[in-house]
Amino acid sequence: MTTALQKLSPQQRRVLFFVVMAVTVVVVLAISWLVLVALVRSSPRLVPIALTEGWQVREYVQLNDVDAYPATLAIAPDGTLYSGSYVTGALWAIAPDGTQRELPDTRAQIGSVTAITVAPDGRLFVLDRLSPFQALGMKIWLLEGNTLTLFADYSGSRQETLLLPDDLAVDSAGNVYVSDRGRDFVWRIDPDGGGGTVWWRNPPIANVQNYAPTGLAYDPARHALFISDSALDILYQVDIGEDGSAANTRVLYTRQMSDEPIAIGFDGLSVLGDTLYVAGLNNGRVGAFDLNTSRMTYLAGNFRGAVDVSAAQDGRVFVANWDQRSLLPVPVLLFEVTIEPHLPFSLDVLTRAD
């Protein structure tokens, strides 16, 4: 080998050197890529933990479908917990004893479940994004028993009205509100499903161009709408005036108020009494914001994508985990890698410790 190298000209030796170096770099990069991919794909299934004394968290129910991706949930007055699939459109009803059933024909009619809300009168509304990766348009369904009725249709020629609709809320007069992260406004629909207008936009903040209204929750006691801002990590309270307009907007909380080190990604909201519960999608936590003291307390963390919360009258707080990183490929060294979700998908529940 040495003799053969000595017979090469200086130019040939330089070429050989660079070829060997290039092959070495490629091999090292390939090995590194394979190791990183293995690490990403083999990450353990996160188990939520309580962060505040006096609270505990556990898995409430496992969803059967491998493509469940529960992006929302809502607790009905009779104690039935509803959730739905962002990918298939299937709706599930979980009885108080934990029995799970899929509502008939829902995956055939609904394209993508993005939000579920229970109106003050007990009716159940479902926000349908038409398909999992559809940005424009939506449908809103009214669920009564096992029957779906189309309440509002923003597909077809009307789909340009909305871009990235995210959450739903219904006030005591029956008006339906839809947050839109693409258009940066809250849309309002009349109680009969007709009409439609921009109800709220441009909050009283400095960098108003970067906000993103996301989670919604209606508080009948205050006759106000709570809005989460997933881009700026802000919680707003918007009072509903006597004429139904957005009468007053208050900034209740910002991430800077508690020096949070990372983006929270405020998402789904639920109000119970003087407490506003909020899901933090980015930091994997569920917080309780005291509307009297303006104090935020994180009750639990380590969720696999805490995207929505729903507080029951008995004090339990349900959480949807949808492991959303599995929906899109993850970049690894300039390549995109598909990651399987951490099965099974589940809905969790926070309760007061005995």
Side-chain angles (χ1 to χ4, degrees):
M1 180 70 175
T2 303
T3 303
L5 290 175
Q6 290 176 344
K7 294 181 178 180
L8 297 176
S9 66
Q11 183 177 1
Q12 290 174 322
R13 291 177 185 177
R14 283 194 294 271
V15 171
L16 180 61
F17 172 78
F18 285 117
V19 169
V20 171
M21 289 298 296
V23 171
T24 302
V25 169
V26 170
V27 170
V28 170
L29 288 176
I31 294 174
S32 300
W33 184 79
L34 291 173
V35 170
L36 288 173
V37 169
L39 289 174
V40 170
R41 286 181 169 170
S42 63
S43 60
R45 184 177 187 267
L46 296 178
V47 177
I49 57 174
L51 300 176
T52 297
E53 186 177 355
W55 284 86
Q56 58 189 12
V57 58
R58 64 177 177 83
E59 187 175 79
Y60 182 70
V61 65
Q62 294 183 356
L63 299 175
N64 298 327
D65 291 355
V66 297
D67 51 3
Y69 292 97
T72 183
L73 78 177
I75 187 78
D78 65 356
T80 302
L81 183 65
Y82 292 89
S83 186
S85 173
Y86 181 80
V87 171
T88 68
L91 285 175
W92 302 285
I94 298 95
D97 64 0
T99 303
Q100 174 189 160
R101 65 186 178 92
E102 181 178 321
L103 301 183
D105 300 323
T106 51
R107 69 173 65 214
Q109 297 184 66
I110 300 175
S112 175
V113 179
T114 305
I116 302 174
T117 193
V118 178
D121 62 6
R123 292 182 300 163
L124 202 73
F125 290 82
V126 179
L127 173 59
D128 174 6
R129 275 268 297 274
L130 307 181
S131 69
F133 304 105
Q134 169 72 42
L136 293 172
M138 68 168 187
K139 291 181 180 179
I140 297 178
W141 300 90
L142 180 60
L143 178 65
E144 296 177 290
N146 290 332
T147 304
L148 279 176
T149 304
L150 188 60
F151 175 79
D153 190 350
Y154 284 78
S155 62
S157 62
R158 300 189 69 195
Q159 70 177 12
E160 295 285 345
T161 306
L162 299 171
L163 175 65
L164 292 176
D166 192 275
D167 204 0
L168 279 175
V170 183
D171 68 18
S172 54
N175 297 298
V176 176
Y177 303 84
V178 180
S179 62
D180 192 312
R181 293 185 293 112
R183 304 287 191 217
D184 296 333
F185 57 54
V186 173
W187 188 257
R188 192 182 73 176
I189 302 171
D190 296 340
D192 62 358
T197 185
V198 174
W199 182 77
W200 178 86
R201 72 187 321 163
N202 297 335
I205 53 176
N207 48 350
V208 70
Q209 298 297 325
N210 300 318
Y211 74 105
T214 304
L216 299 178
Y218 171 69
D219 184 357
R222 295 171 174 81
H223 195 44
L225 200 68
F226 295 105
I227 304 172
S228 70
D229 186 330
S230 60
L232 299 178
D233 286 331
I234 298 176
L235 299 177
Y236 308 99
Q237 176 179 328
V238 184
D239 298 329
I240 301 175
E242 293 183 2
D243 61 353
S245 64
N248 180 44
T249 299
R250 281 174 281 172
V251 174
L252 299 178
Y253 179 84
T254 68
R255 178 162 59 96
Q256 289 72 24
M257 291 171 64
S258 60
D259 298 322
E260 288 289 335
I262 62 173
I264 302 167
F266 280 143
D267 209 303
L269 301 173
S270 183
V271 61
L272 181 64
D274 293 326
T275 303
L276 180 64
Y277 296 96
V278 55
L281 184 57
N282 290 351
N283 67 358
R285 296 181 179 183
V286 169
F289 179 77
D290 191 310
L291 293 166
N292 292 324
T293 65
S294 298
R295 181 187 177 192
M296 177 71 76
T297 303
Y298 286 104
L299 306 180
N302 211 43
F303 289 96
R304 293 177 296 132
V307 68
D308 199 11
V309 290
S310 184
Q313 289 298 320
D314 61 8
R316 292 178 298 168
V317 181
F318 296 91
V319 186
N321 281 296
W322 73 314
D323 205 0
Q324 79 283 359
R325 67 181 190 146
S326 306
L327 287 171
L328 295 173
V330 176
V332 177
L333 292 181
L334 304 179
F335 294 93
E336 292 188 336
V337 178
T338 301
I339 301 176
E340 295 299 320
H342 290 111
L343 300 176
F345 288 103
S346 67
L347 306 178
D348 295 333
V349 62
L350 283 74
T351 57
R352 294 281 185 177
D354 295 331

